[in-house]
Amino acid sequence: MSPCPRVPAEQLTQNVLASHRATCQLGAEDLRLRRGDTFTREEVSAYQRQPAAEMWQRCAGRITEAVQHVVEFAKRLRGFMELSQHDQIVLLKAGAMEVVLVRMCRAFDAETRTVFFEGKYAGAELFRALGCHELVGSIFDFAQSLSALRFSESEVAFVSALVLVNASRPWLQEQGKVARLQGHLDIAFRLLLRRTQREGLLARLPPRGRLRALCWQHIQQLGTFLRQHPGVPPAAFPPLYRELFA
Ligand code: CLR
């Protein structure tokens, strides 16, 4: 048996997976075991009876925590910290929420159409107080479509890394440098897919525009909410959330 040399692509694969594992917030096995642990009808209606402002703040808080973990993921990705600080910020501003939505499929139970939220699995109706039924439905549909791909943890890790390290984001200063890093990630991802006989996955990934549209709708909905509730100061939201979305 010949020894297997550690080619750089393989090291990058290890790094992407380790970065994901260290920052994914919720363990995959844990999430699987807790499927079926759904909110009771009383708990659901308590969420539904909350004032819109309170539910928005709650969700903003959870999303902010998730974004902070994505920032940590980015920092651990080999090559990311070598980009200019300006470009790091551009990539995170554009991609952090998209990565949260990719990561959502790990916390999503397609059989019951529920997502892990504040300790239990919740259906879309739990978020009714937000007043953005359509957006929540689209987010659930997106999670459903990713679940159908049956991602492994390595695949979620690479899809996340490639959502983040995207040389076609506007306003990049050193586009070539980002493109090089993106190229390395792309090659390592393809090697992994070949090794695991999952090449078919690439053609089945949702188009990029789908994620972009969801994030844009989120920002629109936040704007609508703030206009309709002039009594709620934007300062009621976490600073990082405001910075990214308001
Ligand atoms: C995604 C995976 C992360 C952990 C995480 C944190 C917050 C969750 C998010 C996941 C999934 C989507 C989520 C969100 C909080 C609110 C949001 C449940 C599980 C729902 C869909 C409501 C969207 C509301 C906006 C329109 C404000 O590792």
Side-chain angles (χ1 to χ4, degrees):
M1 204 170 68
S2 65
C4 179
R6 275 189 146 283
V7 295
E10 223 170 295
Q11 282 177 27
L12 186 56
T13 300
Q14 292 309 317
N15 165 254
V16 171
L17 181 57
S19 305
H20 170 74
R21 285 237 157 90
T23 63
C24 65
Q25 213 173 348
L26 307 155
E29 193 48 31
D30 230 38
L31 285 165
R32 243 187 302 278
L33 289 172
R34 294 169 85 157
R35 281 180 181 184
D37 187 6
T38 50
F39 285 108
T40 64
R41 215 168 314 170
E42 289 72 30
E43 289 170 322
V44 172
S45 77
Y47 273 108
Q48 292 174 334
R49 282 195 308 268
Q50 287 194 349
E54 210 158 297
M55 194 59 185
W56 267 94
Q57 279 168 270
R58 275 193 116 93
C59 289
R62 299 292 85 79
I63 290 171
T64 304
E65 288 163 11
V67 163
Q68 281 164 332
H69 283 84
V70 173
V71 173
E72 193 52 43
F73 169 69
K75 285 180 163 180
R76 289 171 186 244
L77 274 185
R78 181 161 307 159
F80 189 85
M81 294 302 275
E82 273 75 69
L83 302 174
S84 74
Q85 201 171 36
H86 173 272
D87 286 356
Q88 293 176 26
I89 291 168
V90 165
L91 294 177
L92 281 165
K93 274 198 161 192
M97 184 65 189
E98 293 190 4
V99 173
V100 171
L101 293 177
V102 168
R103 285 178 159 197
M104 176 178 172
C105 69
R106 304 173 65 251
F108 187 77
D109 180 2
E111 239 129 83
T112 55
R113 246 181 107 78
T114 52
V115 67
F116 194 74
F117 174 77
E118 299 195 330
K120 286 189 189 179
Y121 277 83
E125 73 284 355
L126 180 129
F127 302 95
R128 193 183 294 163
L130 294 171
C132 49
H133 176 76
E134 217 180 302
L135 170 57
V136 172
S138 309
I139 292 174
F140 273 62
D141 288 344
F142 182 75
Q144 188 99 33
S145 69
L146 288 192
S147 297
L149 304 178
R150 309 227 161 261
F151 281 151
S152 67
E153 286 293 287
S154 310
E155 290 166 354
V156 177
F158 266 110
V159 170
S160 304
L162 283 161
V163 162
L164 216 50
V165 182
N166 175 352
S168 59
R169 299 284 190 200
W171 318 117
L172 288 170
Q173 277 172 347
E174 301 175 300
Q175 199 188 25
K177 216 168 157 183
V178 179
R180 228 159 17 249
L181 182 53
Q182 183 187 334
H184 291 311
L185 287 165
D186 200 60
I187 288 171
F189 189 27
R190 282 166 197 276
L191 280 173
L192 171 82
L193 292 176
R194 179 161 348 134
R195 185 149 41 84
T196 52
Q197 299 183 318
R198 288 270 287 167
E199 289 107 322
L201 184 67
L202 288 179
R204 298 171 64 207
L205 290 175
R208 291 260 170 167
R210 187 107 190 265
L211 266 176
R212 207 179 330 119
L214 288 176
C215 293
W216 186 82
Q217 283 177 59
H218 168 217
I219 289 167
Q220 297 306 305
Q221 288 293 326
L222 174 63
T224 304
F225 167 79
L226 289 172
R227 276 193 306 280
Q228 287 174 349
H229 296 79
V232 181
F237 289 94
L240 177 60
Y241 184 82
R242 267 184 284 145
E243 151 117 24
L244 289 176
F245 310 118

